Structures are given as C-alpha cells and as structure tokens.
Amino acid sequence: AVFLACGASRSVRLNIPGDDLIGMMQGLDFLREVNQSHPVSIGQRVVVIGGGNTAVDAARTALRLGAKNVTIVYRRSRAEMPAIANEVTAAEQEGVQFHLLAAPVEVMGHQGKVVGLRCMRMELGEPDASGRRRPVPVPDSEFNLDADTIITALGQVLDLESWGWQMPINQRGWIEVDPETMATGIPGIFAGGDATAGPALVIEAIAMGKRAAESIQRWLRGEDLLAGRHLESEWPRPETIEVAIPKTATPKPRIITPEMPVKLRAGNFEEVELGLTAEMAMAEAAR
C-alpha cells in the first residue's frame, strides 16, 4: 500500500503579460527563502497579490525585511478576504496598504525587471461557486502601482508535471479519493491532505491520515474498508450540538492576548503575540 501526502506545492501563476519579469516572486517561495534565512532582495516597493493568509504573511514579512511601501491587491472586498481577520488588522496596524476590489492586468517592466503593476478596479456581481460574490471589471478604471517586487499568493495546486505518472484527478484538480476511506481509484494507493482537498488546516490533514491508516491496515489484511467503521459523515456537526449554559452564568469577554507594540516590529521576526500570564490564562479558562 502507498499513501500520498504530497500537498499542493505549486503556486498559481498570474498568467498576464509580464508575469515572468525579474522581480516576480511566488508567495510560498518567498516565505520559504526568508524562513531558511536565505538573502532575499525585494527593494523598497512591494506589491502582494491575493487575499489569503499567504498574502498577508508575505506583506508583513516584506515590511520586516525593510520595504518602505507594501501594498496588498485583492479583487474582492475586505469582507470576502479568506485571511484570518486579526492578521489583516495586524497588517494594517503595521503599515500595509490595501487596494481592494482591484485585479492585476499587466506587470510593467523596464529592461527585463519589474517596475510596476497595472490594475483594473472591480465591483461585486452575483455569487460564484464559492458562495462569494464574483468580481466584475469596471470599464476604463485602470490604474498603476509602482513596484520593485511583486509577490503573488493566488492559491496552490498539485505539481502534477513532476510526477511522471497518472492519478485519478477530480474536477477541482485534486486527487480523487473516497472521503471515508481515502482510497484512490487505484488499488492499494491512498491519499490525503491538501493533495485531495486543497489547502486547508493541519488538523484536517491529520484526520485524513487517521482514516487512511485504518483503511491501509484493512487493505493489507484483505478486510472490507468500510464495514463497522464510524464514518465521518455520522459524526455530529458543531452547529447541531446544544450546550446547556446555566441561566445564572454571566457572560464575560475573552482575554485579549498581549502583543508586541507596533513600533517594535520593524525588522523584528519575534512572535507578535506575547502569550498570557498565569492569571490571564486561568481567567480565560474559568469564564
């Protein structure tokens, strides 16, 4: 038996004119280089394209590397941004600028290097398959942003080109698996994690790994993969669980985690959230 946990390691490209100029970077590659302490030259003006956690991480990291002007360009409104809300707020506090309802149309260059990004303003139309309102271009609304470096964080996909062999792929571009057993369409091959569902949470990948481990053990023993198992679809959803709260209970706000002052964050890669004191932790647990 084989278990595939290869993730979704290839970044989505812009596919607009100029996206191969010197100064274009992928968000994951940028963060990996910084995390491994490799020298990264980004200049003074950085534009980050995207609205997820990778985009926000890249923008805050660019500030810490010394960029004087960092801008996030996102094609929807702030309400539709998939990034964690308090991370977006922290980015704003640190000085990241936001151009919302804007989409890139061309990377501008000079002598083979990035010098700017041409964008078009958008407006929100009808909801798309994700349930979010689809961004629609506004005619004659183009504007330019100066940039030394443009970092794209548009999502991740399977790196199928490097495999050299075929796997069953679903319509969304992920490895096709049975959601209960994590079995693929090829006997003895199982898969889980981002490669089967797209970029998500670590705990979801761990759950898939546990289901796959049970399936693999049954496969090796020649047993039925489903018989007698407590299937994921049978577990109660959080929204269906009723919690009995005593009528005498007094609601208390959650404890606010202390953070490093914004003025100390420039060039500083230490943790921003400083953690709770013992007293604060006990108060939070008791509430």
Side-chain angles (χ1 to χ4, degrees), residues 191-257:
D194 290 359
T196 64
L201 302 177
V202 171
I203 194 61
E204 295 179 18
I206 292 172
M208 293 181 191
K210 292 187 70 174
R211 291 202 297 276
E214 170 69 20
S215 298
I216 289 171
Q217 178 162 286
R218 291 178 177 226
W219 165 261
L220 296 175
R221 293 175 173 175
E223 299 172 356
D224 188 294
L225 299 187
L226 280 172
R229 293 177 66 171
H230 195 122
L231 305 181
E232 181 192 24
S233 58
E234 298 173 352
W235 287 95
R237 301 300 303 164
E239 59 270 16
T240 66
I241 300 174
E242 295 184 5
V243 179
I245 300 177
K247 294 181 179 180
T248 56
T250 302
K252 296 180 181 179
R254 71 180 301 171
I255 301 297
I256 303 300
T257 302

Side-chain angles (χ1 to χ4, degrees), residues 11-172:
S11 298
V12 176
R13 289 192 58 172
L14 268 177
N15 289 323
I16 60 176
D19 73 346
D20 57 349
L21 292 171
I22 297 172
M24 292 294 301
M25 302 183 71
Q26 302 285 357
L28 290 179
D29 296 338
F30 169 67
L31 293 173
R32 185 182 301 113
E33 291 295 300
V34 174
N35 192 51
Q36 294 177 352
S37 300
H38 294 163
V40 180
S41 177
I42 57 174
Q44 297 295 304
R45 303 165 300 178
V46 176
V47 174
V48 181
I49 304 172
N53 289 316
T54 299
V56 175
D57 287 349
R60 297 178 71 185
T61 298
L63 283 177
R64 284 159 172 75
L65 290 178
K68 300 302 181 184
N69 186 293
V70 179
T71 302
I72 288 179
V73 173
Y74 179 56
R75 61 182 185 153
R76 290 184 167 97
S77 71
R78 178 163 176 167
E80 282 83 24
M81 289 185 73
I84 298 171
N86 64 344
E87 297 276 343
V88 178
T89 299
E92 283 184 316
Q93 293 172 343
E94 292 171 5
V96 174
Q97 302 175 46
F98 288 80
H99 268 291
L100 302 174
L101 289 170
V105 294
E106 180 184 359
V107 178
M108 299 181 295
H110 178 67
Q111 296 182 344
K113 297 182 180 180
V114 168
V115 297
L117 181 69
R118 179 166 292 132
C119 301
M120 176 177 284
R121 302 198 183 280
M122 313 293 282
E123 59 185 7
L124 296 180
E126 296 299 318
D128 60 14
S130 70
R132 296 177 297 172
R133 295 173 64 189
R134 186 189 306 276
V136 179
V138 176
D140 303 319
S141 63
E142 294 186 354
F143 64 95
N144 298 335
L145 296 172
D146 294 333
D148 301 310
T149 298
I150 296 175
I151 300 172
T152 59
L154 303 175
Q156 298 151 239
V157 294
L158 285 172
D159 188 11
L160 296 174
E161 296 176 0
S162 66
W163 285 17
W165 51 287
Q166 298 295 318
M167 280 295 299
I169 304 297
N170 61 26
Q171 292 182 340
R172 298 179 60 196

